[in-house]
Amino acid sequence: MKHTLRTLLILFVVLCYSCLPINTKKYSVLGTWKLKRIEQKLTQGDKTGSLKEGELLNLFNDNSLSILSEEAQQIGKWTVNGDNDMLTIKAENSSTRNYQMKFSTTKSGLEILKLKDEGSSNVSVFYREASPLKDISNEPFHPSNIQWRIKAPASESIPQLRRRLENYVKHVSLILYVAKQQKPELVSFELSQGPIRIYSSRIGKFPFAVVKPIWKNAYYSEQEAAIAYQIYENYLRDNKYTGTSTGKWVDDDYAILQSIYNGLKKDAKNDREKLAK
């Protein structure tokens, strides 16, 4: 009798355990993360680290990365070491830093990434902003799509100014592309501000005087920024979008910006052909 009761008790425990929910979620560090807060536990000799609140950390499957704020940007490389719990970041003009990773999910389904800096006791808390895309060429914050933010080291020719402007237009269009694919209600141009003015199913321009410094200062001089602005302004004046409206402003503005991007590239090609004759 005792043997039978013991067997039933063991069977009951096993069955109950098997009914417990098991967290099988697999996390990925790839994608776009926004730094919400830094839990600082500084001791003497600690450094505050290289990350700042409000920054976007973007990690791509080619092991490239970008870190952006309203005023600046860094590009570099990343790797995951050990048992997939140590993230190593090497940004340009910055020392290599190692972070211990810890993932979690809120009740609402929001993914959280905590990075503990090996060089200090700081824990940076990130919220996922966007999941990775299959094609990294469509990632708005991939290093190849934020070249418009990189300061020109020397005076640029008209074709170079055009390419910088094209890169900016493509970048803004990809912000909308990601919104189309993932979260159309959470579109943010906070880190993409320049002469492009977004309307509902229409694209316009901000006056040059109020264009944000992050766009102007990337050019070698304000005079060259004004030339690039003029190229954009002239394109809007001389060209009319002929596509049909869908009634969805994200879709419409993405299509318009893609049309502007392709039109600027076509104009540049025509200019090169004229010079070659």
Side-chain angles (χ1 to χ4, degrees):
M1 183 68 178
K2 290 183 179 179
H3 178 74
T4 302
L5 288 174
R6 187 181 302 112
T7 302
L8 289 173
L9 181 60
I10 293 172
L11 181 61
F12 175 77
V13 171
V14 170
L15 288 173
C16 287
Y17 180 78
S18 66
C19 292
L20 292 175
I22 299 174
N23 183 10
T24 59
K25 181 177 179 64
K26 292 184 178 180
Y27 293 98
S28 172
V29 74
L30 293 173
T32 296
W33 302 86
K34 187 166 188 176
L35 182 52
K36 290 296 184 179
R37 66 181 184 276
I38 299 176
E39 299 169 354
Q40 292 186 334
K41 302 174 183 178
L42 297 179
T43 59
Q44 188 173 4
D46 280 346
K47 297 180 180 179
T48 58
S50 58
L51 300 171
K52 298 179 178 61
E53 289 184 25
E55 287 184 331
L56 278 191
L57 172 64
N58 307 277
L59 302 170
F60 307 103
N61 62 16
D62 62 353
N63 290 108
S64 65
L65 67 83
S66 65
I67 303 171
L68 292 92
S69 66
E70 284 191 48
E71 300 82 20
Q73 63 287 317
Q74 288 182 298
I75 59 176
K77 294 289 184 180
W78 68 273
T79 56
V80 171
N81 307 312
D83 296 325
N84 292 329
D85 65 350
M86 188 65 70
L87 175 68
T88 298
I89 289 178
K90 178 64 177 80
E92 289 185 349
N93 303 318
S94 181
S95 59
T96 300
R97 303 192 74 89
N98 296 313
Y99 299 91
Q100 186 175 4
M101 297 188 296
K102 184 178 180 181
F103 294 95
S104 61
T105 305
T106 65
K107 291 182 179 179
S108 63
L110 179 67
E111 287 187 28
I112 297 176
L113 168 64
K114 291 187 176 183
L115 298 182
K116 183 177 181 181
D117 191 341
E118 264 199 344
S120 70
S121 305
N122 295 348
V123 177
S124 300
V125 181
F126 292 84
Y127 290 1
R128 181 178 288 284
E129 286 276 300
S131 299
L133 301 177
K134 291 182 179 179
D135 185 352
I136 60 173
S137 67
N138 289 329
E139 294 279 6
F141 298 111
H142 188 271
S144 63
N145 293 323
I146 57 169
Q147 292 300 302
W148 63 274
R149 269 177 160 254
I150 308 301
K151 177 70 176 179
S155 180
E156 295 181 313
S157 63
I158 296 298
Q160 288 174 317
L161 295 177
R162 279 186 178 277
R163 284 195 292 273
R164 184 179 288 273
L165 176 63
E166 290 166 12
N167 188 257
Y168 164 67
V169 175
K170 180 185 179 184
H171 165 81
V172 178
S173 76
L174 292 178
I175 294 289
L176 293 171
Y177 177 81
V178 173
K180 273 165 50 74
Q181 302 297 314
Q182 299 184 17
K183 299 177 181 178
E185 72 280 5
L186 296 176
V187 184
S188 173
F189 300 98
E190 180 183 5
L191 302 179
S192 311
Q193 299 183 57
I196 292 176
R197 190 165 190 170
I198 303 291
Y199 294 94
S200 179
S201 299
R202 184 165 67 90
I203 297 297
K205 67 182 189 301
F206 286 104
F208 183 73
V210 302
V211 172
K212 296 292 184 178
I214 188 64
W215 188 84
K216 291 181 180 178
N217 292 344
Y219 290 87
Y220 182 70
S221 66
E222 186 161 336
Q223 290 75 17
E224 291 190 4
I227 293 172
Y229 178 89
Q230 192 68 51
I231 293 171
Y232 174 66
E233 185 177 49
N234 291 346
Y235 184 88
L236 294 184
R237 182 195 64 203
D238 298 337
N239 297 271
K240 185 177 180 180
Y241 178 67
T242 57
T244 57
S245 174
T246 66
K248 300 176 181 178
W249 76 268
V250 171
D251 294 38
D252 291 344
D253 285 356
Y254 169 71
I256 296 169
L257 284 169
Q258 280 290 295
S259 175
I260 294 172
Y261 171 67
N262 292 326
L264 288 169
K265 291 186 69 175
K266 184 178 179 181
D267 288 350
K269 181 181 178 182
N270 292 338
D271 288 346
R272 288 194 299 270
E273 290 175 350
K274 288 177 183 178
L275 290 173
K277 292 180 179 178

